[in-house]
Amino acid sequence: MNKPGIYGVMAEFDSPTALVNATRAVYSHGYKKVDAYTPFPIEELSDILHLHENKLPLIVTLAGIAGGISGYLLQYYITVIYFPLNIGGRPLHSWPSYMIVTFELTILFGCLATFLGMLALCGLPMPYHPVFNVPRFETASRDRFFLCIEATDPLFDRLTTYGFLQTLQAQEVSEVAH
Amino acid sequence: MADEPQVIEMAETDIIASVYTLGGVTDQIAGVVQTKHTPIFWIGCFFAGFTLLMMFFASATMLMVKGVGIWGIRMPVMWGFAITNFVWWIGIGHAGTLISAILLLLNQSWRNSINRFAEAMTLCAVACAGQFPLLHMGRPWLFYWMIPYPNSMGVEPNFRSPLVWDVFAVTTYLIVSLLFWYTGMIPDLGTMRDRAKNTIAKYVYGILAMGWRGSARHWSIYETACLLLAGMSTPLVLSVHTIVSFDFTIAIVPGWHSTFFPPYFVAGAIYSGFAMVLVLAIPIRAAYGLKGLITDRHLENCAKIMLATGLIVAYAYVMETFMAWYSGNAFEQQAFWNRMTGPYATSYWFLVFCNIGSLQLLWFKKFRTTPILLFISSIVVLVGMWLERFMIIVGSLAQDFVPSSWGLFHATRWDWATLLGSIGLFIVLFFLFVRALPMISIFEVRTLLPQARVREDTRA
């Protein structure tokens, strides 16, 4: 096995179609530690790489429920226990009035969890990542499409993987330094 | 069923001009920001806004030195311009969230080239709206008393009051709009970072982009996050103006105490918001040569939404008058009679002209596709919607139940200075955004291009 200190091997493509076809070939060849880098989301890649499931909806649901409960309890504690006020003889526990703040805090907690959860699941912010060492990688946020087979993949071999990517109509194949 | 995808594809290619490439849209949108050349249009607008902003600072300073008495608020009209401006500004913000959230959920891809600056408009408008309740308190530095926190005074807010609900609604709205706007911008900040030549710009965009690299794994999580934010923003945006309308409907003042205020306010908010979208989009797309991205079709669609929401507002005007008569409530009837014939009758009929009369021109396609006419009619609508809020607030407070307690409101020059000054704050914030950040969502526009489509038949 030839596994020196590189992050992986990266191929560059000039169209989303070429990238999707190459990804499909790479994945069916048995590589699993594969990632594609594109300037916009491509639905087909999620199909090939089986990315449709993620934990974000669960995180957001739990955070939303926590927000709603804490909003309700905050009001209950203040209006019933800590600072009871008699407003026109209404009951201290006047739940219809509590609904609004409960709702707003549900949304607030849910949205904060969406944002923070997205960052956590993506591993962002990340000040350094090896893929940026690839020359021309800055075009991945413009009009080029990249496919990287990572060195941690059990099938990875510096020379054969390099050669395999070259057979996939790539514009250019390069090694990704750490 | 078979030709359905074809129809959608045709509609999508129509959205932006067909000459664009993936690199071309990137260069054009990022080029507005990443250039040494600042157009005269920007400088002119910014300095006009800046002058008005100075007026805002002057009047806010004056207010803190002398107190809220410099405004025309006297018993019984204690809400005056401040709350009118608050409701007006917060309503304007609603169109941004509508475009970014509701149209995303409805899969309206034409929104892709206007959502970013519409969301920025929301943030600027909410920032302006927030100034008024703060200044109206008279002691803005004590604003945190509205928030429940353990304090040595031993008092807490009354959660049965709509004014406390407002604090929660508007704060949530501001935070969620900011998150949604920033989340939507992360991939584009990555593009800006990769394009930047200047080291400082590279660092600043790099920090803001947080290391975004366009990974397929990230895109999949990112798209889930955008849908979730849209799904939560949709009920939020409808709730915010609903809660603003509760400030009025929960009170028993004639002209306020009615159940249809929430939908009426939300429709009015979206109506004025789309007017503001057009007021901003029309000159900006002309000045920056973005007519290929913000096309006449976008303007026409906005005009159609204005027409729809404007008609809801027109219906509400008719219904509230009808209900006042039909209720048999003498105070309610008197309040509406005062509106139409009393001291504020000029404002009332002028707002009917602005909001309902001028709206009827939008039925004509010729009018909807002529930007200059749309621009003028949008300004007329903005004025009309401001007058509507003025009418509701001042008209009802000035003449409530007992004629002996009636009193008229007279705006002072400080009232006007604060209102115009807040427009300056809005312009300055918005034009700083235009100069520093990509005002059109680059990655979402890329997905509209034919080159972005994966062709299934060509296998490697």
Side-chain angles (χ1 to χ4, degrees):
Chain A
M1 291 291 274
N2 188 1
K3 275 193 185 173
I6 59 168
Y7 176 76
V9 177
M10 189 176 278
E12 178 189 334
F13 299 91
D14 64 352
S15 79
T17 312
L19 173 76
V20 166
N21 290 337
T23 313
R24 196 177 281 125
V26 164
Y27 209 78
S28 58
H29 200 263
Y31 289 108
K32 294 289 177 270
K33 297 265 181 192
V34 179
D35 207 345
Y37 300 90
T38 57
F40 51 85
I42 297 175
E43 183 68 20
E44 286 81 356
L45 287 176
S46 306
D47 294 335
I48 300 168
L49 299 172
H50 304 291
L51 298 176
H52 283 302
E53 298 283 315
N54 65 55
K55 291 208 165 59
L56 197 54
L58 180 69
I59 296 173
V60 173
T61 310
L62 294 178
I65 293 171
I69 292 174
S70 51
Y72 196 91
L73 290 182
L74 169 81
Q75 298 174 81
Y76 182 85
Y77 174 73
I78 288 177
T79 45
V80 178
I81 299 162
Y82 180 73
F83 193 64
L85 278 179
N86 185 342
I87 308 286
R90 287 177 188 80
L92 289 178
H93 181 205
S94 40
W95 64 268
S97 319
Y98 297 175
M99 281 306 124
I100 305 227
V101 174
T102 307
F103 170 78
E104 297 297 333
L105 285 186
T106 307
I107 301 282
L108 180 64
F109 277 47
C111 287
L112 286 171
T114 312
F115 179 69
L116 298 175
M118 177 197 77
L119 292 183
L121 292 178
C122 292
L124 299 176
M126 186 179 282
Y128 173 79
H129 195 275
V131 291
F132 287 101
N133 293 327
V134 174
R136 295 171 53 74
F137 187 75
E138 71 273 8
T139 53
S141 65
R142 182 184 162 83
D143 55 357
R144 293 292 159 145
F145 304 83
F146 292 80
L147 179 65
C148 182
I149 302 180
E150 289 158 28
T152 47
D153 193 283
L155 289 177
F156 184 84
D157 179 278
R158 195 164 179 167
L159 294 176
T160 51
T161 305
Y162 193 94
F164 175 60
L165 277 178
Q166 277 182 322
T167 63
L168 297 174
Q169 296 185 331
Q171 302 281 303
E172 196 175 323
V173 180
S174 45
E175 292 188 340
V176 186
H178 262 303
Chain B
M1 283 300 283
D3 22 287
E4 215 175 82
Q6 188 62 33
V7 173
I8 291 166
E9 199 169 297
M10 287 300 290
E12 272 186 4
T13 45
D14 267 341
I15 295 167
I16 57 175
S18 53
V19 293
Y20 283 107
T21 59
L22 292 172
V25 290
T26 312
D27 289 336
Q28 189 174 12
I29 300 168
V32 169
V33 176
Q34 290 175 328
T35 170
K36 289 210 163 58
H37 168 73
T38 304
I40 297 291
F41 166 75
W42 189 92
I43 298 173
C45 290
F46 184 81
F47 278 94
F50 193 74
T51 312
L52 292 173
L53 178 63
M54 291 302 109
M55 194 155 85
F56 182 77
F57 285 150
S59 42
T61 310
M62 195 64 182
L63 182 97
M64 286 185 217
V65 172
K66 292 209 166 176
V68 287
I70 64 165
W71 288 343
I73 48 175
R74 304 284 182 274
M75 283 307 272
V77 189
M78 293 310 281
W79 277 9
F81 268 29
I83 305 303
T84 306
N85 298 343
F86 162 72
V87 180
W88 185 64
W89 274 121
I90 202 125
I92 285 172
H94 279 43
T97 321
L98 183 107
I99 290 172
S100 56
I102 300 182
L103 296 185
L104 177 73
L105 294 181
L106 297 176
N107 212 2
Q108 297 291 309
S109 51
W110 61 272
R111 71 178 258 295
N112 286 4
S113 50
I114 56 170
N115 65 343
R116 172 72 47 73
F117 83 83
E119 280 170 48
M121 178 199 82
T122 297
L123 283 175
C124 301
V126 175
C128 292
Q131 305 303 319
F132 288 99
L134 290 180
L135 292 176
H136 191 244
M137 280 187 266
R139 290 183 290 170
W141 53 93
L142 297 177
F143 74 95
Y144 60 88
W145 285 7
M146 296 184 296
I147 299 159
Y149 70 102
N151 57 69
S152 58
M153 299 174 285
V155 291
E156 292 293 338
N158 171 21
F159 284 104
R160 298 178 195 88
S161 159
L163 300 181
V164 173
W165 302 342
D166 236 15
V167 174
F168 279 85
V170 174
T171 316
T172 303
Y173 188 48
L174 179 64
I175 296 172
V176 170
S177 305
L178 188 66
L179 285 179
F180 201 3
W181 177 72
Y182 180 58
T183 305
M185 209 153 48
I186 290 173
D188 285 356
L189 288 167
T191 301
M192 302 299 277
R193 169 200 64 203
D194 293 340
R195 271 184 107 259
K197 301 273 187 290
N198 178 316
T199 322
I200 298 172
K202 211 173 182 67
Y203 271 99
V204 172
Y205 288 126
I207 289 167
L208 291 175
M210 294 193 291
W212 180 263
R213 54 186 191 274
S215 148
R217 287 164 209 285
H218 291 182
W219 276 123
S220 129
I221 297 166
Y222 179 83
E223 290 210 294
T224 312
C226 286
L227 277 177
L228 286 169
L229 283 176
M232 285 183 285
S233 302
T234 302
L236 175 67
V237 66
L238 299 180
S239 84
V240 172
H241 229 65
T242 300
I243 293 166
V244 169
S245 78
F246 285 168
D247 292 346
F248 305 102
T249 56
I250 304 287
I252 53 163
V253 175
W256 285 6
H257 193 58
S258 66
T259 48
F260 69 76
F261 261 39
Y264 164 33
F265 266 51
V266 171
I270 294 167
Y271 184 37
S272 61
F274 271 89
M276 188 58 106
V277 167
L278 288 174
V279 166
L280 294 171
I282 291 169
I284 283 179
R285 75 173 198 148
Y288 285 104
L290 295 171
K291 286 187 184 173
L293 293 171
I294 304 174
T295 59
D296 287 348
R297 186 172 152 200
H298 289 101
L299 304 185
E300 199 191 341
N301 282 351
C302 290
K304 283 179 182 167
I305 296 178
M306 269 173 72
L307 181 60
T309 49
L311 288 172
I312 300 176
V313 171
Y315 174 75
Y317 291 164
V318 175
M319 251 3 241
E320 76 176 348
T321 315
F322 170 77
M323 287 313 293
W325 168 76
Y326 188 68
S327 68
N329 180 327
F331 299 108
E332 201 73 19
Q333 287 169 348
Q334 182 64 42
F336 280 84
W337 189 245
N338 286 343
R339 254 184 220 190
M340 290 175 192
T341 61
Y344 298 109
T346 332
S347 312
Y348 182 78
W349 293 111
F350 193 56
L351 90 87
V352 168
F353 162 77
C354 290
N355 289 350
I356 305 182
S358 76
L359 175 73
Q360 303 312 321
L361 292 169
L362 294 177
W363 288 106
F364 301 101
K365 191 175 175 71
K366 184 91 189 119
F367 191 88
R368 291 199 305 266
T369 48
T370 312
I372 182 72
L373 294 177
L374 272 183
F375 182 78
I376 295 167
S377 79
S378 299
I379 289 185
V380 169
V381 166
L382 284 171
V383 172
M385 286 310 292
W386 187 88
L387 283 172
E388 181 204 300
R389 274 68 193 255
F390 177 79
M391 213 38 243
I392 291 174
I393 292 168
V394 173
S396 286
L397 284 175
Q399 296 169 310
D400 61 356
F401 297 98
V402 192
S404 64
S405 67
W406 288 2
L408 294 185
F409 173 81
H410 300 285
T412 65
R413 57 191 161 162
W414 296 110
D415 279 305
W416 291 107
T418 326
L419 169 61
L420 294 173
S422 71
I423 296 172
L425 175 64
F426 178 81
I427 294 173
V428 164
L429 290 174
F430 190 79
F431 277 86
L432 285 176
F433 155 75
V434 166
R435 190 68 189 83
L437 294 165
M439 68 173 135
I440 294 176
S441 174
I442 307 174
F443 84 91
E444 283 175 297
V445 169
R446 286 188 195 119
T447 61
L448 299 176
L449 296 171
Q451 298 96 304
R453 230 154 270 145
V454 177
R455 289 186 302 279
E456 283 300 322
D457 46 350
T458 50
R459 288 283 163 87

